[in-house]
Amino acid sequence: MKASVSVDRAALRSSLLAWYDRQARSLAWRVSPADRREGVRPDPYRVWLSEVMLQQTTVPHATPYFLSFTQRWPTVSDLAAVEDGDLMAAWAGLGYYARARNLLACARAVAGQHGGVFPDTEEGLRNLPGVGAYTAAAVAAIAFDRPANVVDGNVERVMSRLFAVETPLPDAKPDLKALAGELVTEERAGDWAQALMDLGATVCKPKGPLCDLCPVSTWCEAFRGGAPETYPRKARKADRPRRHGVAYVLTRGDAVALVRRPPKGLLGGMLGLPTSDWRATPYDDAEAREAAPFAADWRDRGAVEHVFTHFSLTLRVFAASLDEGAEAPAAFVWTARLGLSALPSVFLKAARAAERML
Ligand code: SF4
């Protein structure tokens, strides 16, 4: 690991914290550094909720969800009392539904086993269901001012540049975490974590870092080397695997047939279009018709593409319509076309391809 002994950590810290005092982003869940100095404490529920949402999306995308969640469910106990299906519907569009299920499990544990009060240490938070090392550290630091080492992709990038770490990701992760840990102290621990996040998000950006505006450029080895954007070094990525499937859009009058997906696995517990299995090889026409959930006059409506975290999906779309009142499997949940906008986006794409119905 690159040694960091030459860095004046105290000076680096105070420069970044002073910058944060002037430039902190105004975020819906954040207590500003000025308010913090006045003794305003962050609400751990809001900190936790924002951190879970931000793990899968950007601040602009997460903000309306955060505002809507906290308006509907102002406390963790309110969230704990929600029906699973309501939460899944509210989460639609935030991706990766396992996280929504974990969110609910965690809220219920806090409400049921901790009297609605979040544990105030990293270790206590880590013991909650679905709370990983990163979230525990972030909530411990931001909500409780614990000197936790909060390291996400942004912080890894900043460390890799500050210390010109040549080891490529992902092998460099432990080193980057250790380097970040050397900068953590008891002083303003929550503000420090947020200052690093803001630096990574607004100045030390993946492409085109704004080194001229950077409060820590004095100590940045990558800046001195003249090619900061080339950090972090990256190992060649394996291609994301591709899967193939078929989605079936069956209409009856104004309604569309949906099915409740199994509780575990991708998009678990959500309503979605009926589909074939998703597999490595494409479906030909005969296979696509054979895999349909119901015998009908299926028409080929093309295909849509969707990218999940771990694979890309090519989904052929077949459509058919039934007469009003026609019999159909009881497992179908008939939903008005207008209600389809709450579907996970992969199904919304397929529904749109079938009929341009929305
Ligand atoms: Fe990032 Fe540039 Fe600042 Fe270094 S000087 S931390 S590369 S923005």
Side-chain angles (χ1 to χ4, degrees), residues 161 203-204 209 211 214 216-217 220 223 228:
R161 290 173 175 174
V203 175
C204 196
C211 301
C214 178
V216 296
S217 59
C220 181
F223 175 56

Side-chain angles (χ1 to χ4, degrees), residues 153-210:
N154 279 331
V155 175
E156 285 178 347
R157 181 172 63 257
V158 173
M159 293 302 139
S160 75
R161 290 173 175 174
L162 268 179
F163 300 105
V165 174
E166 297 298 335
T167 313
L169 283 173
D171 290 353
K173 280 175 175 282
D175 290 355
L176 297 172
K177 188 163 188 184
L179 288 166
E182 290 178 15
L183 291 166
V184 173
T185 74
E186 298 270 350
E187 185 208 356
R188 299 185 64 188
D191 283 349
W192 174 254
Q194 294 175 95
L196 264 185
M197 289 173 182
D198 279 18
L199 186 75
T202 65
V203 175
C204 196
K205 300 191 281 193
K207 292 209 165 78
L210 307 173

Side-chain angles (χ1 to χ4, degrees), residues 16-76:
L16 182 56
L17 284 167
W19 171 83
Y20 180 69
D21 287 340
R22 296 189 306 273
Q23 306 280 348
R25 287 177 295 172
S26 172
L27 304 175
W29 44 85
R30 175 174 280 176
V31 172
S32 72
D35 286 345
R36 192 82 176 229
R37 265 196 303 280
E38 296 297 316
V40 179
R41 308 293 307 171
D43 176 351
Y45 166 59
R46 293 166 67 88
V47 174
W48 163 76
L49 185 62
S50 67
E51 284 301 329
V52 176
M53 288 180 170
L54 287 172
Q55 279 169 40
Q56 21 193 151
T57 187
T58 58
V59 167
H61 188 69
T63 299
Y65 284 92
F66 176 84
L67 294 173
S68 145
F69 269 57
T70 48
Q71 190 177 27
R72 288 175 75 180
W73 305 299
T75 69
V76 69

Side-chain angles (χ1 to χ4, degrees), residues 77-102:
S77 300
D78 296 324
L79 185 65
V82 76
E83 296 285 334
D84 292 35
D86 287 348
L87 184 79
M88 293 297 171
W91 191 264
L94 272 177
Y96 205 44
Y97 293 90
R99 222 179 277 285
R101 290 195 295 278
N102 284 336

Side-chain angles (χ1 to χ4, degrees), residues 121-141:
T121 63
E122 200 174 347
E123 197 193 352
L125 289 158
R126 188 81 174 80
N127 287 332
L128 293 170
V131 173
Y134 171 81
T135 307
V139 176

